[in-house]
Amino acid sequence: IIIKIILKLMTKINEAKKIMGKNFIGPDEFKKMADFIKLLIPITIHSLPFSEDFLKKHNKDFILIMGVKKDVEGRLLTINRLRSIFGTDPVKFEPCFYNQDWYLKEKFARETTLTNKWYLVAKEVVPASRGIEPKKALRCLPKSAMFPSAILAIFTFFAYYFISDGEMLWRHDFIWCDDSDHNGDRIYTGRYIDPNGINKNGFNIHRHLSIRPCYGAAPVII
C-alpha cells in the first residue's frame, strides 16, 4: 500500500514538474542543497492542492515549492536554523543572511516552521502593491492570496538560488510577510543586494514599526 501511495504521489509530482519547469522545487531539486542541509522529505503529501490548469496559468510567475518542516536529523527548519547554516558573512560564503541579530529571540525566527505541504510563491512584487502600507498592499492581491510567512520566503529564496544556479528572488525588493514580532510590528524580508551599494550582500529581515503611544514629539524651541 505504501509503495502504491508513493508511486501515485510521484506521478502527480512529475506532472506538476513538467508544467512548472524551472519554477518547480521538489525532492529531486532539494538534492542540490544536500551539501549544506539534508531535508526530511514528507511522503505524506498525497496530492498537490492545485489543478493542472491553475498551474499552467501561473507557471511563469510563481514557484511551486514543497514545504519541509525538518532535516533528516529531526531538527526543525526555522529561520535561526537556516541562519546557522548559511551564515552572515558574504565574504566567506554566499548566499547568506544580512548580518543582523534583532530577531533571534523572536518566535517567528526561533519556532515557526513550514507545514509539510505545497506552496505557490510569487517571483516578483505585485506592481500595484509597491510603496503602500501592508494593509493596502494586501488588498491588491487576489482573494485567494496572502503574504508568505518569513520562513517560507527565506526557504524559497535559498532553495531557488541553488536549483537555478545563482538566480536571486527579490534581488532589490522587500516583500511583506505574514508574521509580526512581539510588539505586533509586521515583518518584511528580501533585498539581497543593496542597489546603492552601501550595505553588504545578504538576505534581510526587518520589522515595519507601528505607531504606538510610546512614539511622540519632544520639540525644541528656537
Side-chain angles (χ1 to χ4, degrees):
I1 295 176
I2 294 177
I3 294 176
K4 288 182 179 179
I5 291 175
I6 293 175
L7 289 174
K8 184 178 180 181
L9 169 63
M10 292 306 298
T11 299
K12 292 184 178 181
I13 288 177
N14 288 335
E15 290 172 356
K17 189 172 183 176
K18 290 178 182 179
I19 295 171
M20 300 302 294
K22 68 175 185 177
N23 292 330
F24 177 90
I25 305 178
D28 289 339
E29 288 68 31
F30 287 139
K31 293 176 183 177
K32 290 193 174 184
M33 301 172 63
D35 288 342
F36 306 97
I37 184 169
K38 292 180 173 62
L39 303 174
L40 183 61
I41 304 301
I43 62 172
T44 54
I45 300 180
H46 298 301
S47 62
L48 287 88
F50 312 105
S51 68
E52 289 188 21
D53 288 340
F54 189 83
L55 291 178
K56 289 176 181 178
K57 183 178 179 181
H58 296 88
N59 66 347
K60 303 297 183 184
D61 303 321
F62 283 76
I63 294 168
L64 179 64
I65 184 168
M66 174 185 278
V68 180
K69 190 173 184 177
K70 299 178 181 180
D71 64 18
V72 293
E73 297 177 356
R75 288 179 290 187
L76 295 176
L77 294 179
T78 62
I79 290 174
N80 287 353
R81 170 76 177 127
L82 293 177
R83 186 180 190 270
S84 70
I85 294 171
F86 296 110
T88 59
D89 189 348
V91 175
K92 292 182 179 179
F93 179 80
E94 289 193 87
C96 63
F97 285 75
Y98 186 69
N99 191 10
Q100 51 192 161
D101 59 9
W102 69 266
Y103 55 83
L104 295 180
K105 294 183 179 180
E106 295 286 346
K107 183 177 180 179
F108 78 88
R110 60 184 172 84
E111 294 184 17
T112 304
T113 63
L114 295 172
T115 300
N116 289 339
K117 69 176 187 179
W118 291 93
Y119 298 87
L120 267 180
V121 183
K123 298 175 68 175
E124 302 286 347
V125 170
V126 175
S129 71
R130 290 185 179 276
I132 58 179
E133 293 290 319
K135 288 184 179 180
K136 293 182 179 179
L138 190 58
R139 292 198 289 268
C140 297
L141 308 182
K143 290 183 179 180
S144 60
M146 59 185 294
F147 296 144
S149 63
I151 181 60
L152 176 58
I154 291 166
F155 183 73
T156 304
F157 172 86
F158 282 94
Y160 191 72
Y161 182 96
F162 285 103
I163 71 107
S164 66
D165 296 322
E167 185 174 338
M168 292 181 182
L169 298 171
W170 321 302
R171 187 184 186 91
H172 299 303
D173 288 325
F174 291 112
I175 62 170
W176 296 115
C177 293
D178 191 39
D179 301 271
S180 58
D181 68 2
H182 69 283
N183 286 320
D185 294 325
R186 183 175 293 277
I187 305 306
Y188 61 98
T189 63
R191 204 191 69 171
Y192 190 89
I193 296 177
D194 180 358
N196 296 317
I198 296 175
N199 297 308
K200 291 182 179 180
N201 287 355
F203 196 88
N204 283 263
I205 304 173
H206 296 296
R207 49 189 166 187
H208 181 63
L209 300 181
S210 303
I211 301 301
R212 294 184 292 275
C214 60
Y215 294 88
V220 58
I221 298 176
I222 58 175

